[in-house]
Amino acid sequence: MTGVRCMLLRGGTSKGAYFLADDLPADPGTRDDLLMRIMGTPDPRQIDGVGGAQPVTSKVAVVSKATDPGHDIDYLFLQLGVEEPTVSDRQTCGNLLAGVGQFAVERGLVPAGEDRTTVRIRLVNTGTVAVSTFATPGGEVDYSGDTAISGVPGTAAPVELDFTETEGSVCGSLLPTGNVRDDVGGIEVSCVDNGMPVVVARAGDLGITGYEDATELGANTALAERIDALRVEAGKLMGLGDVRGSSIPKTTLVAAPRDGGAICTRTFIPVKPHPSIGVLGGVSVVTALLLDGAVGHELLESGGGPVQIEHPSGKLAVAIEFDGSRVRRSTVIRTARKLFDGTVFPRP
Ligand code: NQM
């Protein structure tokens, strides 16, 4: 049986299969069919594949050398369904992004620096560029270090991810509905795209406190239905068309912080609770909350410095350059780790 060269990495709080574009079929339909057979999709346990049976572990990065001199590599993100036979390129993923630069160095697409390496990465899904900086002592990627991130046990080497010009990455504008605040079926929401299309609402308006853990939220089927109805209507207003079955927009329910952070969040991807919060999802939520008149703006307790987003497994710090009306740049520290490098064998 023919195998495919593949590396598994944890990127931030996600985990995925990383491929060189050249190691996959060029035709998107053939490629997606192969990827589903590699990951074990569709199946709630992904038992016959290398997917981890959750949205945050059913992810693929396809990496190639950049064709444009403005950046070093191209990163295409693909979200595979777990139970559904779907492969979507409608969003990017800032967590898998945390391993993309190292993968490119390991595969010889970019040279390593003597101590640290900076890679300019084009996010193919959105057309934006991110800059990733990580440790390469002696010209080798070093994944070990003493940086801890919430949602991942232990420590690893820090990866700095810098984002600029993320506004309207998918929807074309920061406020895709044209408004800071909308009413969707009686629920006040703010719809923002600063790297990820998100719908922000108050947890209390959806009948929860916003402090529930992910297991309790996952068992709340009535909540999942309400969130789906909300995001489907919001998706239309955001110009995304019919988003039933689509991974975007995400919904984030906010509540007052209670653990020393700036805001408490519970995020749904798209209706399953996120165990933490996405990277660009987090950037977009903070961007929304900084806007005067946005839903949840009154709950934000930000006293300068990085904005600490409370989520079900701890906090995500997002450093923001906000000029009073716009977030011009954002920086997030993640870690990543190579888990496996070899040949993966797809289900026939
Ligand atoms: O928003 C999950 C994740 C993500 C996306 C999701 C992400 C981002 O945690 O940049 O990282 O929102 O589906 O990997």
Side-chain angles (χ1 to χ4, degrees), residues 213-224:
D213 65 25
T215 310
E216 183 178 348
L217 293 174
N220 190 340
T221 48
L223 178 67

Side-chain angles (χ1 to χ4, degrees), residues 50-63:
V50 299
Q54 292 178 56
V56 293
T57 54
S58 186
K59 298 186 167 221
V60 164
V62 182
V63 179

Side-chain angles (χ1 to χ4, degrees), residues 11-15 55-57 59 75 77 79 91-97 163 195-196 198 247-248 250 267-270 274-283 334:
T13 51
S14 286
K15 185 158 67 174
V56 293
T57 54
K59 298 186 167 221
Y75 153 50
F77 169 70
Q79 176 71 56
Q91 66 164 90
T92 187
C93 173
N95 270 307
L96 274 212
L97 173 68
F163 302 101
M196 184 68 72
V198 296
S247 66
I248 51 167
K250 318 285 174 187
T267 298
F268 298 82
I269 53 169
H274 196 304
S276 53
I277 188 168
V279 170
L280 286 156
V283 169
R334 303 274 78 195

Side-chain angles (χ1 to χ4, degrees), residues 55-171:
V56 293
T57 54
S58 186
K59 298 186 167 221
V60 164
V62 182
V63 179
S64 52
K65 208 161 172 55
T67 42
D68 179 326
H71 45 274
D72 303 305
I73 55 169
D74 285 350
Y75 153 50
L76 171 69
F77 169 70
L78 297 170
Q79 176 71 56
L80 275 80
V82 175
E83 291 157 53
E84 307 297 329
T86 53
V87 182
S88 171
D89 64 0
R90 287 195 84 185
Q91 66 164 90
T92 187
C93 173
N95 270 307
L96 274 212
L97 173 68
V100 165
Q102 300 87 320
F103 174 73
V105 168
E106 297 245 21
R107 287 284 190 261
L109 295 187
V110 282
E114 258 315 294
D115 183 38
R116 295 179 72 65
T117 300
T118 295
V119 182
R120 287 179 61 80
I121 303 168
R122 187 169 75 99
L123 311 182
V124 175
N125 306 75
T126 56
T128 57
V129 175
V131 178
S132 173
T133 304
F134 48 91
T136 50
E140 299 267 334
V141 178
D142 186 358
Y143 297 93
S144 62
D146 51 18
T147 297
I149 61 170
S150 297
V152 179
T155 62
V159 183
E160 184 181 308
L161 299 175
D162 270 300
F163 302 101
T164 46
E165 295 174 19
T166 40
E167 286 195 7
S169 67
V170 176
C171 302

Side-chain angles (χ1 to χ4, degrees), residues 140-277:
E140 299 267 334
V141 178
D142 186 358
Y143 297 93
S144 62
D146 51 18
T147 297
I149 61 170
S150 297
V152 179
T155 62
V159 183
E160 184 181 308
L161 299 175
D162 270 300
F163 302 101
T164 46
E165 295 174 19
T166 40
E167 286 195 7
S169 67
V170 176
C171 302
S173 63
L174 181 70
L175 298 173
T177 69
N179 307 311
V180 175
R181 184 189 286 238
D182 292 280
D183 183 309
V184 176
I187 307 282
E188 286 195 318
V189 297
S190 287
C191 302
V192 167
D193 173 4
N194 197 16
M196 184 68 72
V198 296
V199 179
V200 179
R202 285 185 210 90
D205 291 350
L206 273 290
I208 63 166
T209 64
Y211 306 118
E212 294 81 357
D213 65 25
T215 310
E216 183 178 348
L217 293 174
N220 190 340
T221 48
L223 178 67
E225 279 166 26
R226 287 192 78 186
I227 286 174
D228 207 29
L230 184 72
R231 62 182 285 282
V232 165
E233 282 313 303
K236 286 183 205 151
L237 296 178
M238 295 168 85
L240 291 168
D242 182 356
V243 299
R244 278 174 297 179
S246 166
S247 66
I248 51 167
K250 318 285 174 187
T251 304
T252 296
L253 304 183
V254 295
R258 60 165 194 179
D259 201 16
I263 191 74
C264 182
T265 63
R266 295 295 182 262
T267 298
F268 298 82
I269 53 169
V271 295
K272 286 200 173 141
H274 196 304
S276 53
I277 188 168

